[in-house]
Every structure is written in C-alpha cells, then in structure tokens.
Amino acid sequence: GQSSSRGVQNFKVVLLGEGCVGKTSLVLRFVEDKFNDRHISTIQASFLTKKVSVHGRRMQLSIWDTAGQERFHALGPIYYRDSHGAVLVYDITDVDSFQKVQNWVRELRRMLGESICLAIAGNKSDLSDERTVDLVEAEQYALDVGAFHLDTSAKHNEGVEELFMSLADRMLATR
Ligand code: GDP
Ligand code: MG
C-alpha cells in the first residue's frame, strides 16, 4: 500500500457479488457496527475508510461498495483496478450467487493476476437452515483459487471482523 507521512499505509478493498447478498451490510457492520433489515440502496460515499492495526502496523482500508451497478453488469475494470484486496460475497442460501462469485474470481485473476488478495464471504450464515451452498465445497474452491473462505453474518455480527482483518493481514504480507 501507499505510505503516508504518518506511517499509515493505504489499501483499497472492493466488494463484489450479486445484488442483495449483503455487501453493503458487511461494510456497514465492519465500519460502523450497524445493521439494517432493509436493502440499503447506496451508501453516501463511493467508499468508506477504516483504520486498523495488524502486527503493530497501521493500515487505512478504503472499502469500495457498489451502488447497485452489479445488477446491470455495469462494473468494469475502473472499479477494481488498483485494488489490493477484494471481498467476493455470496448468500449461502442462493447457489446462483455462488456461481457469480466464481465469475468474479475468474475476471479478477485474468485482469490482476496474483497481485490481488481474495476473500470469499458466505454471508447470511444466520440462515444456515436454508443453506444450499455446501460449506466444504466453498472452502475447497477458495483454496483452489488462492483465496480464503469465511461464513459471515452481517446481521448477527459473526465472522465480519475476522473477514476484513484476515484480508488486511494477507494484504500486508503481500506488500
Ligand atoms: P447488497 O445488495 O449486496 O449490498 O445487499 P444489502 O447489504 O443491501 O442486503 C440485502 C438484504 O439482505 C437486506 O435486506 C439485508 O438486511 C439482508 N442481509 C444482509 N446481510 C444479512 C445477513 O447476514 N443475514 C440476513 N439474514 N440478512 C442479511
Ligand atoms: Mg449494496
């Protein structure tokens, strides 16, 4: 990441995934510790920032969320270029959303190679009774593409901190 005068390194993280899987909810839970039961159409800024410390090193994460463009296939390389990390989100009750994650992984690896750290979030883990995406399969897939996988619940605040902090750890190790 880019170094600032105060020794804080900046890292860009993009959220990708189908509409309604909980991307905005994950960002708002991590940055502001909030949750809303309704779909949040946009956040005011195109990205939110959060300062974190990993192994005593200070990082500023700029976390970019989409404002619904994912539905119109309108997200191009401009959105994710210069990213150090990506969080690919699916809904554990929606197999199709996991397929979309795989499309994004292919695209990111093709465009950015190994330079980008990838986290895959199986969100809505509070709805595990309705799970249709097999956890072991998802974890194996993540390993196969050099990513890591975590189940998360933005609603119950499970796995969210670990998701972003593990990604931060990886991004730091890559630089
Ligand atoms: P986005 O379109 O991917 O940004 O999804 P949103 O963050 O707007 O969330 C879409 C819907 O899923 C909203 O109704 C959220 O309240 C709901 N949602 C988000 N995260 C969770 C979760 O962890 N569990 C459950 N049960 N619902 C969630
Ligand atoms: Mg959203």
Side-chain angles (χ1 to χ4, degrees):
Q2 219 180 346
S3 224
S4 83
S5 55
R6 286 157 66 240
V8 182
Q9 280 184 291
N10 293 303
F11 292 83
K12 177 179 172 182
V13 174
V14 290
L15 272 282
L16 288 164
E18 203 175 356
C20 284
V21 296
K23 298 180 298 298
T24 303
S25 298
L26 285 168
V27 177
L28 290 179
R29 173 61 82 186
F30 179 63
V31 176
E32 298 177 1
D33 199 17
K34 284 183 186 153
F35 181 78
N36 194 318
D37 265 313
R38 296 186 44 210
H39 176 75
I40 308 139
S41 53
T42 48
I43 52 177
Q44 290 307 310
S46 42
F47 65 93
L48 292 175
T49 63
K50 181 160 168 133
K51 288 202 179 78
V52 299
S53 264
V54 175
H55 307 307
R57 285 169 69 185
R58 292 153 73 207
M59 306 169 74
Q60 175 160 279
L61 307 180
S62 301
I63 306 174
W64 291 68
D65 186 22
T66 63
Q69 304 99 318
E70 65 269 30
R71 276 172 224 141
F72 309 107
H73 308 282
L75 285 173
I78 271 183
Y79 174 68
Y80 57 74
R81 78 171 172 208
D82 304 328
S83 295
H84 303 97
V87 179
L88 305 148
V89 187
Y90 69 94
D91 172 344
I92 64 160
T93 72
D94 178 359
V95 172
D96 190 51
S97 72
F98 184 60
Q99 194 59 51
K100 295 268 163 52
V101 159
Q102 297 176 47
N103 295 343
W104 276 117
V105 168
R106 270 194 296 277
E107 165 108 349
L108 291 175
R109 286 291 186 228
R110 186 169 63 85
M111 301 296 286
L112 303 174
E114 298 297 314
S115 71
I116 185 164
C117 299
L118 303 181
I120 300 175
N123 193 42
K124 309 196 184 183
S125 64
D126 53 286
L127 303 178
S128 59
D129 290 352
E130 299 160 52
R131 180 192 291 275
T132 53
V133 180
D134 186 70
L135 176 59
V136 173
E137 215 171 278
E139 286 173 340
Q140 186 57 52
Y141 169 75
L143 289 178
D144 290 345
V145 296
F148 70 93
H149 177 281
L150 278 175
D151 263 8
T152 59
S153 171
K155 185 170 184 167
H156 289 184
N157 195 13
E158 284 165 1
V160 181
E161 182 85 7
E162 191 186 350
L163 174 73
F164 286 99
M165 293 308 287
S166 299
L167 184 62
D169 199 342
R170 282 200 168 205
M171 292 191 299
L172 206 53
T174 307
R175 246 120 271 271

